[in-house]
Amino acid sequence: MAMAHPSQAASAGQDISIRTITFDDLRVALRQGWDDFLAKRGDLVFIGFIYPIIVALAIMSASRMSILPLIFPLVAGAILLGPAFASGFYELARRREAGLDARWRHFLDVIRKPGGSALFDLTCVLALLFMAWMATAWFIYHATLENVPGSTSSVGAFLSAIFGTSQGWQMIVLGNLVGFGFALLTLAVSVVSFPMAVDKPVSWGVAVRTSCRVAWHNPVTVAAWGLIVVALLVLGALPALVGLAVVLPVLGYATWHLYTRAVVR
């Protein structure tokens, strides 16, 4: 495990000590997450289906409501809510680490834990970020592609407008730049905050502050972790979202192990 960061001394008597993490820590966390999945949680594959099903239903609803411009932001923004959904996997990984019963029936134990209120608050933070992202994406569409006549008359016309007009490319560039900013903010806020709230009775403010400190002192490693998460989610989503049933549990367990390596418990 990486050595403790020299700036880990508590300030105001509340800051929790953190460590410097390396690419090797990411590799070990992913390997341990895979081991967790293979060892005892194959019966939880069905839980991994819930998240992609919700996303798929939201996409279908968006299509029926003729708001095609929000389908991609909706799918991309769903990643922002991933840490909240994965809280059950953090609990199972914690229980296995402690030698406790880690069967699927404990997946929702996080709701009854002392840190349950902190998890609710953290989920609200991510929900606010998600709504802010959707509102921003809608504003970007109105400022660019909405000016192209007939751009939302059909899926084909919408795609042609995106890739065949200057307004479409403006929307792509602006949307990706702004989306990247939202992704960085979400990563900093959530990289260890949710596992910490599962692990110990801390307030959501302490959890977020600790998560941001981990990201601040390990910018390259945390950014690499974010890229790994996105890459695995994309790979899992390619076969009609089916692969997410495996990717989501593995990432959930791996995130727990990354937390144990980044934060002094």
Side-chain angles (χ1 to χ4, degrees):
M1 188 177 293
M3 297 299 292
H5 194 280
S7 68
Q8 66 179 211
S11 64
Q14 287 191 336
D15 281 348
I16 295 174
S17 297
I18 62 174
R19 299 185 180 95
T20 297
I21 51 177
T22 66
F23 292 127
D24 188 60
D25 290 304
L26 303 187
R27 179 185 61 80
V28 172
L30 286 169
R31 188 191 67 217
Q32 291 176 325
W34 179 249
D35 289 343
D36 280 349
F37 178 77
L38 293 180
K40 296 186 66 175
R41 256 72 87 195
D43 55 344
L44 279 176
V45 168
F46 75 93
I47 293 180
F49 277 113
I50 297 175
Y51 187 69
I53 286 174
I54 292 174
V55 174
L57 290 175
I59 291 174
M60 293 171 61
S61 176
S63 298
R64 288 197 301 269
M65 294 172 64
S66 299
I67 50 176
L68 286 172
L70 288 184
I71 290 181
F72 177 76
L74 181 64
V75 174
I79 298 176
L80 303 182
L81 301 176
F85 175 82
S87 296
F89 295 116
Y90 308 150
E91 172 64 10
L92 295 180
R94 184 196 69 81
R95 295 183 68 87
R96 186 187 181 207
E97 177 187 79
L100 303 173
D101 180 14
R103 285 176 287 181
W104 66 270
R105 64 186 182 187
H106 295 288
F107 187 83
L108 296 179
D109 281 4
V110 291
I111 300 176
R112 298 184 291 270
K113 292 174 67 69
S117 60
L119 284 174
F120 176 79
D121 293 337
L122 289 171
T123 301
C124 289
V125 171
L126 292 191
L128 288 174
L129 286 174
F130 175 78
M131 289 187 289
W133 157 242
M134 294 299 293
T136 303
W138 186 249
F139 174 80
I140 291 174
Y141 162 72
H142 272 282
T144 55
L145 200 64
E146 190 185 33
N147 300 319
V148 178
S151 60
T152 58
S153 59
S154 67
V155 174
F158 181 64
L159 293 176
S160 296
I162 289 178
F163 297 106
T165 66
S166 60
Q167 294 94 326
W169 281 105
Q170 289 174 12
M171 187 180 74
I172 291 174
V173 173
L174 284 175
N176 279 281
L177 287 175
V178 175
F180 181 70
F182 272 98
L184 286 180
L185 178 58
T186 302
L187 180 63
V189 166
S190 64
V191 64
V192 299
S193 59
F194 280 85
M196 176 179 292
V198 170
D199 188 38
K200 57 182 68 178
V202 295
S203 69
W204 72 271
V206 170
V208 167
R209 184 165 64 248
T210 303
S211 188
C212 290
R213 288 173 57 231
V214 168
W216 178 261
H217 292 297
N218 302 277
V220 176
T221 310
V222 171
W225 176 250
L227 291 175
I228 290 172
V229 170
V230 171
L232 289 177
L233 288 175
V234 170
L235 288 175
L238 289 179
L241 303 179
V242 174
L244 293 179
V246 174
V247 171
L248 289 174
V250 171
L251 283 178
Y253 302 139
T255 300
W256 167 264
H257 292 294
L258 182 63
Y259 155 70
T260 64
R261 303 179 75 81
V263 177
V264 177
R265 300 162 68 198

